[in-house]
């Protein structure tokens, strides 16, 4: 069968996302039982206990019921948290779905979409799915967005600029001054999508609440997720905050029941679990310092991270090293496919997992 006669040409131009293997797959292939999966930026403390209790109760009570279509309770709680109106929030099936619905709503085949050359691949994926032109601008040497270079690429056809802050996979943050200057200069005809999936891991003295600038910049869209700091990656729940008219337009493309009731219940409960939140942040800081110290001892360069992972230059083929580490049951992310052939992205885990990762990395590099 020649499927090419049916499919849209722009779909043929994009490569599908390749997810990391499940722990079960790795166990079956390696024969190892104890796997340290440090490749997908998951929460090593697992999930908020309050969220788990709420989700179990929701399954017991309402598994036979369709979920609340527009996530009223969750949106009300998020609105209070962020001090915005409820009609400024859109919730969907994880941050990926928010990005997808955003693109479905606003991108046309003649549009240009701008982002960095090394960043979260979903931006390019949705752009190509919609037939838009994706324009890549190199990151600066510190691993964050060079917004002056981005601004130089803006044309009358620029529909959107995606800014991942902190950036995935480098973990670097773009300075507040750079972002605000960019927002002042970029034309209102171009939307600015600020992806803050990792905002909770930014050091307190470096955090900026860009939500407070939404009234000034009506073309600004801010995305958050429950996947990382609250450990709700499997049930999927993400949201964006923007001007009411932008949210109204996205609502036109949403699916009737895009967020299941279990995810909604978990997210609502997770917002109250500050103990879990604080323990996650503390574990993250401890892990980050550990990796920094070990990399310094090994003479390896790395990006200063404000996320729950670190991007390190291992001065060797990242795919080969990652495969070597896999023999020890340690799973890390080689970044060759994202244009960083000598870099690994390593998620911060529990202390014993972090130690295993360093021991395995030393061994793999020695064998290269």
């Amino acid at each position: 069968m020649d499927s090419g006669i049916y499919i849209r040409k722009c779909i043929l131009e994009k490569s599908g996302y390749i997810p990391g293997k499940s722990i079960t797959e790795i166990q079956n292939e390696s024969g190892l039982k104890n796997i340290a999966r440090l490749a997908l930026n998951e929460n090593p403390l697992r999930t908020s206990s309050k969220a788990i209790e709420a989700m179990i109760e929701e399954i017991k009570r309402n598994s036979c019921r369709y979920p609340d279509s527009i996530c009223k309770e969750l949106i009300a709680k998020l609105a209070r948290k962020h001090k915005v109106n409820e009609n400024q929030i859109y919730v969907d099936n994880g941050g990926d779905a928010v990005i997808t619905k955003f693109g479905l709503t606003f991108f046309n085949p003649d549009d240009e979409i701008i982002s960095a050359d090394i960043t979260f691949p979903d931006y390019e994926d949705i752009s190509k799915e919609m037939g838009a032109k994706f324009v890549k601008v190199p990151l600066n040497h510190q691993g964050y967005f060079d917004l002056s270079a981005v601004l130089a690429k803006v044309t009358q056809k620029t529909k959107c600029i995606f800014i991942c802050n902190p950036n995935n996979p480098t973990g670097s943050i773009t300075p507040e001054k750079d972002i605000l200057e960019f927002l002042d200069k970029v034309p209102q005809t171009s939307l600015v999508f600020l992806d803050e999936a990792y905002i909770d891991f930014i050091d307190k003295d470096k955090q900026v609440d860009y939500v407070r600038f939404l009234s000034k910049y009506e073309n600004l869209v801010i995305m958050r997720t429950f996947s990382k700091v609250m450990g709700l990656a499997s049930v999927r729940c993400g949201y964006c905050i923007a001007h009411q008219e932008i949210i109204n337009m996205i609502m036109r493309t949403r699916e009737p029941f895009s967020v299941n009731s279990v995810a909604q219940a978990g997210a609502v409960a997770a917002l109250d679990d500050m103990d879990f939140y604080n323990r996650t942040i503390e574990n993250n800081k401890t892990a980050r310092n550990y990796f920094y110290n070990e990399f310094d001892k090994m003479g390896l360069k790395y990006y200063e991270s404000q996320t729950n992972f670190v991007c390190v230059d291992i001065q060797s083929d990242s795919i080969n090293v990652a495969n070597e580490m896999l023999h020890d049951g340690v799973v890390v992310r080689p970044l060759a496919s994202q244009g960083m052939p000598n870099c690994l992205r390593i998620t911060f885990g529990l202390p014993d997992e972090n130690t295993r990762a360093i021991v395995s990395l030393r061994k793999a590099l020695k064998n290269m």
Side-chain angles (χ1 to χ4, degrees):
M1 178 180 178
D2 182 10
S3 60
I5 65 175
Y6 305 113
I7 195 168
R8 288 189 295 132
K9 291 182 179 179
C10 59
I11 301 300
L12 292 174
E13 296 175 0
K14 68 180 291 289
S15 56
Y17 176 72
I18 302 175
K21 293 182 178 180
S22 70
I23 291 178
T24 301
E25 285 181 287
I26 297 168
Q27 288 174 330
N28 290 339
E29 291 176 6
S30 68
L32 300 172
K33 296 300 181 183
N34 187 8
I35 304 297
R37 188 164 77 165
L38 305 178
L40 294 177
N41 307 337
E42 297 159 326
N43 191 326
L45 301 186
R46 299 183 179 272
T47 306
S48 155
S49 59
K50 289 186 177 181
I52 291 174
E53 291 171 6
M55 290 188 290
I56 291 173
E57 185 60 27
E58 182 64 25
I59 289 172
K60 290 178 179 178
R61 290 189 297 112
N62 293 319
S63 290
C64 64
R65 309 292 184 189
Y66 285 104
D68 175 1
S69 178
I70 58 174
C71 310
K72 291 179 183 177
E73 184 180 1
L74 178 55
I75 285 178
K77 202 160 190 175
L78 288 171
R80 291 193 296 272
K81 170 183 170 67
H82 294 294
K83 298 180 174 60
V84 298
N85 294 324
E86 293 181 19
N87 54 23
Q88 288 183 265
I89 300 175
Y90 173 74
V91 182
D92 211 319
N93 187 43
D96 298 317
V98 172
I99 293 169
T100 297
K101 295 301 191 305
F102 178 77
L104 286 172
T105 305
F106 295 109
F107 298 172
N108 295 302
D110 292 333
D111 290 336
E112 293 179 356
I113 314 300
I114 304 176
S115 194
D117 60 338
I118 300 173
T119 191
F120 190 45
D122 274 23
Y123 314 144
E124 182 174 4
D125 286 346
I126 186 57
S127 300
K128 289 185 174 180
E129 284 176 16
M130 300 309 297
K133 180 182 178 182
F134 191 74
V135 180
K136 298 181 181 182
V137 178
L139 293 173
N140 69 9
H141 70 282
Q142 292 176 288
Y144 63 79
F145 279 61
D146 184 345
L147 293 181
S148 60
V150 170
L151 193 63
K153 293 290 186 179
V154 174
T155 71
Q156 292 182 339
K157 290 187 176 182
T158 302
K159 176 60 66 70
C160 176
I161 301 96
F162 282 104
I163 303 173
C164 190
N165 191 48
N167 186 43
N168 178 8
T170 58
S172 306
I173 54 172
T174 303
E176 176 184 9
K177 177 177 175 290
D178 292 11
I179 291 179
L180 294 182
E181 285 183 359
F182 178 79
L183 289 170
D184 282 334
K185 294 176 180 177
V186 72
Q188 287 292 302
T189 51
S190 299
L191 293 162
V192 178
F193 190 103
L194 191 60
D195 181 346
E196 296 187 329
Y198 298 93
I199 186 173
D200 299 279
F201 301 106
I202 299 176
D203 293 335
K204 292 299 181 184
D205 62 336
K206 295 182 176 68
Q207 283 193 5
V208 180
D209 181 16
Y210 289 104
V211 173
R212 74 179 192 270
F213 296 110
L214 285 171
S215 59
K216 181 178 181 181
Y217 304 109
E218 294 184 351
N219 59 334
L220 178 61
V221 180
I222 299 172
M223 192 197 82
R224 304 280 182 88
T225 180
F226 286 89
S227 295
K228 309 304 180 184
V229 74
M230 283 303 175
L232 290 171
S234 70
V235 295
R236 316 301 299 128
C237 192
Y239 64 99
C240 66
I241 313 170
H243 188 277
Q244 177 181 345
E245 287 304 311
I246 291 177
I247 298 301
N248 286 345
M249 292 301 103
I250 299 176
M251 290 290 285
R252 289 170 177 251
T253 64
R254 72 181 182 90
E255 297 168 6
F257 304 104
S258 59
V259 185
N260 68 75
S261 61
V262 177
Q264 291 184 46
V268 168
L271 288 170
D272 292 329
D273 198 344
M274 292 309 299
D275 175 65
F276 180 81
Y277 179 96
N278 291 330
R279 286 190 293 112
T280 295
I281 299 303
E282 189 59 36
N283 180 79
N284 202 73
K285 289 180 179 179
T286 301
R288 182 178 65 181
N289 291 335
Y290 171 77
F291 276 106
Y292 283 1
N293 290 333
E294 293 300 319
F295 292 152
D296 288 341
K297 293 175 186 177
M298 299 166 71
L300 299 178
K301 294 181 179 180
Y302 51 89
Y303 290 97
E304 295 288 337
S305 177
Q306 293 293 320
T307 61
N308 64 344
F309 60 83
V310 63
C311 179
V312 58
D313 184 349
I314 56 172
Q315 304 165 24
S316 187
D317 186 290
S318 63
I319 295 177
N320 289 340
V321 170
N323 287 336
E324 282 290 315
M325 295 176 70
L326 193 57
H327 296 318
D328 296 325
V330 178
V331 190
V332 296
R333 186 81 167 189
L335 298 176
S337 64
Q338 289 184 257
M340 305 178 82
N342 294 332
C343 289
L344 293 174
R345 191 189 69 191
I346 304 176
T347 305
F348 299 144
L350 297 173
D352 64 313
E353 294 174 317
N354 301 332
T355 301
R356 284 181 64 190
I358 290 297
V359 170
S360 181
L361 177 60
R362 286 181 180 275
K363 176 183 171 184
L365 291 176
K366 186 177 181 180
N367 292 337
M368 287 297 107

